[in-house]
Amino acid sequence: MATATSVYSGYPPGAVLDFDVNTSWYINSDCTNVSSSLYCCDAQSIRLDLPAARTVNAVLLRGNQGSFPDGYDILTARLELLGASGTVLDSQLVVFNRPAGDWAHRFTPAIQNVRAVRLLPGWTESSAPGIAEIQLFVP
């Protein structure tokens, strides 16, 4: 199940779970302009709640590639793996590659007892950025 602090109409958080890079979740224009070309989305997040505790080996994040492949990317973020009580089990700084806007990370060792994954966008290209996919790899 995916939930988000903000949703642009027609681009729900569940889009990051459909294995389709042509669909995305977008923030509802809540990011603050901090310069002439960059925005900061510190108050926004998307969260994936797992049905049971899992061991996570790796995470793959896929940037927008559908209707808005350019100009609406998340550039940096923080990825958190959360335990049952919301405790942060692991946190990774995300710097998306250019131009595709993808990012991958393998956890060594794998992170056990993960109940949720939260992505907190940082710097973005627009006030309504999005992400296409969040994929978890489990044994």
Side-chain angles (χ1 to χ4, degrees):
M1 171 187 225
T3 57
T5 56
S6 173
V7 178
Y8 198 89
S9 181
Y11 300 94
V16 302
L17 299 173
D18 64 5
F19 296 102
D20 184 354
V21 295
N22 293 308
T23 63
S24 295
W25 160 70
Y26 287 93
I27 293 170
N28 188 20
S29 302
D30 288 336
C31 301
T32 305
N33 193 344
V34 294
S35 74
S36 60
S37 62
L38 293 178
Y39 293 80
C40 185
C41 296
D42 286 337
Q44 305 306 318
S45 67
I46 185 167
R47 178 179 166 136
L48 309 179
D49 287 298
L50 306 178
R54 299 301 298 260
T55 297
V56 176
N57 292 332
V59 174
L60 172 63
L61 306 176
R62 303 291 308 271
N64 297 320
Q65 298 173 30
S67 300
F68 304 100
D70 297 315
Y72 293 90
D73 290 332
I74 296 170
L75 304 175
T76 66
R78 186 172 68 245
L79 178 76
E80 297 176 340
L81 303 184
L82 307 174
S85 64
T87 304
V88 177
L89 303 173
D90 193 90
S91 179
Q92 297 291 320
L93 175 63
V94 176
V95 178
F96 290 92
N97 71 16
R98 306 303 302 149
D102 296 338
W103 181 83
H105 182 76
R106 181 170 184 224
F107 297 96
T108 306
I111 308 301
Q112 298 180 357
N113 299 313
V114 176
R115 291 303 310 256
V117 176
R118 181 170 48 209
L119 183 71
L120 301 106
W123 297 105
T124 67
E125 289 184 318
S126 77
S127 64
I131 187 166
E133 292 294 311
I134 300 175
Q135 297 176 359
L136 305 179
F137 294 85
V138 299

